[in-house]
Amino acid sequence: MKHNQVCYYVERGFNGKLYVSYGMYEYEKTYGGHKVSRLRPPEIRLINGVPFDDFQSETEFKKVPKGWTYSTDLYTVTENLDKKEKINAAMKGRYFTCPSDLQWLFDNGYLVKMENVEPIIEPEFNHDTYRLRKKYPAWTQCYGSHNDRYPDEVFETYEAAEKRMHEIMEENYKRSVKCALLDFYEDLEWVLEKYEAEHGGREIAKIKQNILARPHLEDIMFRYYKGDILIVSKEAHRKNTHIEWEKIA
Protein backbone atom coordinates (compact mmCIF):
# COMPACT_ATOMS: atom_id res chain seq x y z
CA MET A 1 0.00 0.00 0.00
CA LYS A 2 1.30 3.45 -0.93
CA HIS A 3 1.95 6.35 1.40
CA ASN A 4 -1.03 8.76 1.50
CA GLN A 5 -3.39 6.15 0.06
CA VAL A 6 -6.92 5.78 1.39
CA CYS A 7 -7.34 2.54 3.30
CA TYR A 8 -9.88 0.73 5.44
CA TYR A 9 -9.44 -1.08 8.72
CA VAL A 10 -11.50 -2.79 11.41
CA GLU A 11 -12.01 -0.83 14.60
CA ARG A 12 -13.70 -1.56 17.91
CA GLY A 13 -15.93 1.15 19.34
CA PHE A 14 -16.36 2.13 22.97
CA ASN A 15 -19.44 -0.12 23.12
CA GLY A 16 -17.33 -3.11 22.06
CA LYS A 17 -18.88 -3.42 18.60
CA LEU A 18 -16.71 -3.79 15.50
CA TYR A 19 -17.08 -1.53 12.48
CA VAL A 20 -15.13 -0.54 9.38
CA SER A 21 -13.27 2.77 9.47
CA TYR A 22 -11.28 4.57 6.82
CA GLY A 23 -8.29 6.85 6.87
CA MET A 24 -5.03 7.78 5.20
CA TYR A 25 -2.28 5.18 5.18
CA GLU A 26 1.11 6.50 6.22
CA TYR A 27 4.28 4.45 6.17
CA GLU A 28 6.57 5.22 9.10
CA LYS A 29 10.09 4.67 7.85
CA THR A 30 11.64 5.23 11.28
CA TYR A 31 9.77 2.35 12.90
CA GLY A 32 9.27 0.21 9.81
CA GLY A 33 5.53 0.16 10.44
CA HIS A 34 2.43 2.09 9.52
CA LYS A 35 -0.25 4.28 10.98
CA VAL A 36 -3.61 5.50 9.74
CA SER A 37 -4.72 9.10 10.13
CA ARG A 38 -8.42 9.78 10.41
CA LEU A 39 -9.96 12.05 7.79
CA ARG A 40 -12.55 14.79 8.06
CA PRO A 41 -13.80 17.72 5.97
CA PRO A 42 -11.75 20.92 6.23
CA GLU A 43 -12.45 23.21 9.17
CA ILE A 44 -15.23 25.72 8.48
CA ARG A 45 -15.59 27.27 11.95
CA LEU A 46 -14.82 30.93 12.51
CA ILE A 47 -13.81 32.20 15.96
CA ASN A 48 -14.81 35.85 16.19
CA GLY A 49 -14.67 35.89 12.40
CA VAL A 50 -11.18 34.34 12.24
CA PRO A 51 -10.79 30.88 10.62
CA PHE A 52 -10.33 28.29 13.35
CA ASP A 53 -7.05 27.00 11.88
CA ASP A 54 -5.63 30.53 11.78
CA PHE A 55 -6.79 31.53 15.24
CA GLN A 56 -3.91 32.14 17.65
CA SER A 57 -4.03 32.25 21.43
CA GLU A 58 -4.41 35.77 22.76
CA THR A 59 -1.52 37.13 24.79
CA GLU A 60 -3.22 40.13 26.38
CA PHE A 61 -5.92 39.94 29.04
CA LYS A 62 -9.03 42.07 28.67
CA LYS A 63 -11.92 42.99 30.91
CA VAL A 64 -14.88 40.63 31.05
CA PRO A 65 -18.13 42.18 29.74
CA LYS A 66 -20.31 44.08 32.18
CA GLY A 67 -22.81 41.78 33.88
CA TRP A 68 -20.76 38.75 32.87
CA THR A 69 -21.52 35.32 34.35
CA TYR A 70 -19.95 31.93 33.70
CA SER A 71 -22.73 31.18 31.21
CA THR A 72 -21.91 34.28 29.13
CA ASP A 73 -20.34 33.55 25.74
CA LEU A 74 -16.98 35.29 25.48
CA TYR A 75 -16.51 34.54 21.79
CA THR A 76 -18.71 33.75 18.80
CA VAL A 77 -18.53 30.64 16.65
CA THR A 78 -19.88 30.91 13.10
CA GLU A 79 -19.29 29.01 9.86
CA ASN A 80 -17.74 29.87 6.54
CA LEU A 81 -20.88 29.22 4.51
CA ASP A 82 -19.20 29.50 1.09
CA LYS A 83 -16.61 26.90 2.07
CA LYS A 84 -19.32 24.68 3.55
CA GLU A 85 -21.34 24.85 0.33
CA LYS A 86 -18.32 23.88 -1.79
CA ILE A 87 -17.52 20.91 0.47
CA ASN A 88 -21.12 19.68 0.39
CA ALA A 89 -21.22 20.00 -3.40
CA ALA A 90 -17.96 18.05 -3.76
CA MET A 91 -19.20 15.25 -1.50
CA LYS A 92 -22.56 14.88 -3.19
CA GLY A 93 -22.83 11.50 -4.88
CA ARG A 94 -19.62 10.20 -3.32
CA TYR A 95 -19.51 7.33 -0.84
CA PHE A 96 -17.10 6.38 1.94
CA THR A 97 -17.30 2.76 0.76
CA CYS A 98 -15.66 3.78 -2.53
CA PRO A 99 -11.89 4.30 -2.10
CA SER A 100 -11.56 6.28 -5.34
CA ASP A 101 -14.19 8.75 -4.09
CA LEU A 102 -12.34 9.24 -0.81
CA GLN A 103 -8.99 9.54 -2.57
CA TRP A 104 -10.37 12.21 -4.90
CA LEU A 105 -11.80 14.16 -1.98
CA PHE A 106 -8.46 13.99 -0.17
CA ASP A 107 -6.35 14.89 -3.21
CA ASN A 108 -8.57 17.90 -3.89
CA GLY A 109 -8.66 19.15 -0.31
CA TYR A 110 -12.22 18.19 0.60
CA LEU A 111 -10.94 15.69 3.16
CA VAL A 112 -7.94 16.41 5.37
CA LYS A 113 -5.99 14.51 7.99
CA MET A 114 -7.19 15.15 11.50
CA GLU A 115 -4.67 16.39 14.00
CA ASN A 116 -3.68 13.69 16.46
CA VAL A 117 -5.23 15.78 19.23
CA GLU A 118 -7.72 18.38 18.09
CA PRO A 119 -7.42 21.84 19.63
CA ILE A 120 -10.18 23.57 21.56
CA ILE A 121 -10.82 27.22 22.36
CA GLU A 122 -11.17 28.11 26.04
CA PRO A 123 -11.15 31.39 27.97
CA GLU A 124 -8.41 31.76 30.55
CA PHE A 125 -9.34 33.95 33.52
CA ASN A 126 -7.33 36.19 35.78
CA HIS A 127 -9.68 37.80 38.32
CA ASP A 128 -12.00 40.02 36.22
CA THR A 129 -10.01 39.70 32.99
CA TYR A 130 -9.73 36.95 30.40
CA ARG A 131 -8.03 35.91 27.19
CA LEU A 132 -8.85 33.20 24.65
CA ARG A 133 -6.47 30.27 24.42
CA LYS A 134 -6.11 27.55 21.81
CA LYS A 135 -5.38 24.38 23.77
CA TYR A 136 -4.49 20.78 23.01
CA PRO A 137 -5.98 18.91 25.99
CA ALA A 138 -3.76 16.19 27.45
CA TRP A 139 -6.75 14.17 28.68
CA THR A 140 -7.62 13.36 25.05
CA GLN A 141 -4.47 11.26 24.83
CA CYS A 142 -5.06 9.60 28.20
CA TYR A 143 -8.55 8.42 27.29
CA GLY A 144 -7.65 7.15 23.83
CA SER A 145 -9.49 9.78 21.78
CA HIS A 146 -6.49 10.68 19.65
CA ASN A 147 -6.91 10.42 15.89
CA ASP A 148 -3.93 8.30 14.87
CA ARG A 149 -4.58 4.58 14.57
CA TYR A 150 -2.18 1.65 14.39
CA PRO A 151 -4.33 -1.25 13.10
CA ASP A 152 -2.81 -4.69 12.62
CA GLU A 153 -4.36 -4.97 9.17
CA VAL A 154 -5.24 -2.41 6.50
CA PHE A 155 -7.23 -3.02 3.32
CA GLU A 156 -7.52 -1.28 -0.02
CA THR A 157 -11.29 -1.80 -0.30
CA TYR A 158 -14.25 -1.50 2.03
CA GLU A 159 -15.45 -4.97 1.02
CA ALA A 160 -12.17 -6.60 2.09
CA ALA A 161 -12.27 -4.85 5.46
CA GLU A 162 -15.93 -5.76 5.95
CA LYS A 163 -15.17 -9.41 5.15
CA ARG A 164 -12.37 -9.42 7.72
CA MET A 165 -14.67 -7.79 10.26
CA HIS A 166 -17.22 -10.59 9.87
CA GLU A 167 -14.43 -13.17 10.19
CA ILE A 168 -13.31 -11.58 13.46
CA MET A 169 -16.91 -11.49 14.70
CA GLU A 170 -17.29 -15.19 13.87
CA GLU A 171 -14.02 -16.01 15.65
CA ASN A 172 -15.10 -14.01 18.69
CA TYR A 173 -18.49 -15.73 18.72
CA LYS A 174 -16.96 -19.21 18.57
CA ARG A 175 -14.56 -18.28 21.35
CA SER A 176 -17.37 -16.94 23.51
CA VAL A 177 -19.44 -20.10 22.93
CA LYS A 178 -16.50 -22.27 24.01
CA CYS A 179 -16.08 -20.23 27.18
CA ALA A 180 -19.82 -20.36 27.86
CA LEU A 181 -19.84 -24.15 27.37
CA LEU A 182 -17.00 -24.54 29.85
CA ASP A 183 -19.05 -22.58 32.38
CA PHE A 184 -22.11 -24.67 31.52
CA TYR A 185 -20.41 -28.01 32.21
CA GLU A 186 -18.89 -26.74 35.45
CA ASP A 187 -22.29 -25.51 36.63
CA LEU A 188 -23.96 -28.74 35.48
CA GLU A 189 -21.58 -30.89 37.53
CA TRP A 190 -22.07 -28.61 40.53
CA VAL A 191 -25.87 -28.75 40.42
CA LEU A 192 -25.90 -32.54 39.87
CA GLU A 193 -23.61 -33.01 42.86
CA LYS A 194 -25.99 -30.95 44.99
CA TYR A 195 -28.96 -33.00 43.76
CA GLU A 196 -27.19 -36.34 44.30
CA ALA A 197 -26.18 -35.39 47.83
CA GLU A 198 -29.80 -34.71 48.72
CA HIS A 199 -31.73 -37.24 46.62
CA GLY A 200 -29.23 -39.98 45.78
CA GLY A 201 -27.76 -40.86 42.39
CA ARG A 202 -30.48 -43.02 40.81
CA GLU A 203 -31.85 -40.25 38.55
CA ILE A 204 -28.60 -38.40 37.85
CA ALA A 205 -27.86 -40.02 34.47
CA LYS A 206 -31.41 -39.41 33.22
CA ILE A 207 -31.43 -35.78 34.39
CA LYS A 208 -28.07 -35.14 32.78
CA GLN A 209 -29.21 -36.71 29.50
CA ASN A 210 -32.36 -34.58 29.44
CA ILE A 211 -30.36 -31.40 30.00
CA LEU A 212 -27.71 -32.23 27.39
CA ALA A 213 -30.45 -32.93 24.82
CA ARG A 214 -31.53 -29.28 24.96
CA PRO A 215 -30.43 -26.78 22.29
CA HIS A 216 -28.07 -23.88 23.00
CA LEU A 217 -26.39 -25.31 26.07
CA GLU A 218 -24.20 -22.21 26.29
CA ASP A 219 -27.33 -20.17 27.05
CA ILE A 220 -28.47 -22.28 30.03
CA MET A 221 -28.15 -20.96 33.57
CA PHE A 222 -28.67 -23.20 36.62
CA ARG A 223 -30.09 -22.72 40.09
CA TYR A 224 -30.46 -25.27 42.88
CA TYR A 225 -33.30 -24.22 45.17
CA LYS A 226 -35.03 -26.22 47.91
CA GLY A 227 -33.93 -29.54 46.44
CA ASP A 228 -34.93 -28.70 42.85
CA ILE A 229 -32.80 -28.14 39.75
CA LEU A 230 -34.00 -25.03 37.93
CA ILE A 231 -32.84 -23.63 34.60
CA VAL A 232 -33.43 -20.47 32.61
CA SER A 233 -32.10 -18.84 29.46
CA LYS A 234 -29.27 -16.41 30.22
CA GLU A 235 -30.45 -14.05 27.50
CA ALA A 236 -34.06 -14.13 28.71
CA HIS A 237 -32.93 -13.61 32.31
CA ARG A 238 -30.77 -10.68 31.26
CA LYS A 239 -33.82 -9.00 29.71
CA ASN A 240 -36.16 -9.89 32.57
CA THR A 241 -34.68 -10.88 35.93
CA HIS A 242 -38.17 -11.81 37.19
CA ILE A 243 -38.67 -14.49 34.54
CA GLU A 244 -39.95 -17.84 35.81
CA TRP A 245 -37.35 -20.60 36.14
CA GLU A 246 -38.12 -24.03 34.68
CA LYS A 247 -37.96 -27.03 37.03
CA ILE A 248 -35.91 -29.93 35.62
CA ALA A 249 -35.78 -32.27 38.63
Side-chain angles (χ1 to χ4, degrees), residues 5-242:
Q5 177 181 341
V6 166
C7 69
Y8 297 89
Y9 61 98
V10 180
E11 187 169 25
R12 187 180 299 277
F14 288 111
N15 58 2
K17 292 185 178 180
L18 297 176
Y19 60 94
V20 175
S21 290
Y22 65 89
M24 190 56 58
Y25 178 87
E26 297 179 68
Y27 178 72
E28 292 193 323
K29 187 176 181 180
T30 306
Y31 303 103
H34 63 256
K35 74 173 182 179
V36 176
S37 293
R38 290 183 181 275
L39 299 177
R40 64 164 175 80
E43 184 62 71
I44 61 172
R45 286 177 296 172
L46 304 174
I47 306 299
N48 292 339
V50 178
F52 187 93
D53 291 337
D54 298 335
F55 183 86
Q56 299 294 321
S57 294
E58 297 175 342
T59 57
E60 300 293 330
F61 284 93
K62 51 193 173 186
K63 282 277 190 180
V64 297
K66 188 176 181 179
W68 172 86
T69 66
Y70 279 100
S71 61
T72 303
D73 292 330
L74 295 174
Y75 60 94
T76 59
V77 181
T78 55
E79 293 181 343
N80 185 329
L81 298 181
D82 290 338
K83 190 175 182 180
K84 182 178 182 179
E85 185 178 349
K86 290 179 180 178
I87 294 172
N88 289 339
M91 290 190 172
K92 188 175 182 179
R94 301 185 186 275
Y95 303 93
F96 83 94
T97 55
C98 178
S100 60
D101 282 353
L102 293 178
Q103 192 70 51
W104 184 90
L105 290 169
F106 176 78
D107 292 341
N108 288 275
Y110 297 110
L111 284 177
V112 297
K113 296 177 184 177
M114 297 176 69
E115 294 188 67
N116 189 30
V117 177
E118 294 189 278
I120 59 174
I121 307 297
E122 279 188 352
E124 181 181 290
F125 295 97
N126 183 15
H127 300 292
D128 59 347
T129 61
Y130 78 98
R131 62 183 178 182
L132 299 179
R133 306 289 290 172
K134 196 176 200 178
K135 298 181 178 180
Y136 293 80
W139 61 263
T140 307
Q141 293 273 23
C142 300
Y143 286 92
S145 297
H146 51 87
N147 295 313
D148 287 349
R149 291 292 183 265
Y150 297 87
D152 294 330
E153 300 173 288
V154 291
F155 305 90
E156 294 188 358
T157 65
Y158 176 86
E159 290 75 18
E162 186 179 42
K163 179 182 177 182
R164 180 57 183 147
M165 179 186 70
H166 289 305
E167 290 174 353
I168 294 173
M169 292 171 65
E170 181 67 20
E171 292 168 3
N172 290 344
Y173 174 74
K174 289 180 179 178
R175 193 178 299 114
S176 67
V177 169
K178 288 181 180 179
C179 292
L181 284 174
L182 287 174
D183 291 339
F184 164 80
Y185 283 109
E186 288 180 0
D187 294 343
L188 175 61
E189 293 303 319
W190 171 81
V191 79
L192 290 177
E193 287 177 6
K194 298 282 286 186
Y195 187 88
E196 184 177 5
E198 191 166 341
H199 300 281
R202 295 178 59 184
E203 300 292 327
I204 292 298
K206 182 179 179 181
I207 296 171
K208 186 174 184 178
Q209 184 179 3
N210 289 340
I211 294 174
L212 293 178
R214 289 174 169 265
H216 305 297
L217 299 180
E218 73 281 357
D219 187 46
I220 293 178
M221 186 162 59
F222 292 99
R223 174 183 287 176
Y224 190 76
Y225 182 69
K226 293 184 177 180
D228 295 332
I229 297 177
L230 309 175
I231 66 170
V232 73
S233 162
K234 290 181 181 178
E235 182 65 19
H237 188 266
R238 183 184 66 82
K239 294 178 180 178
N240 178 17
T241 56
H242 300 290

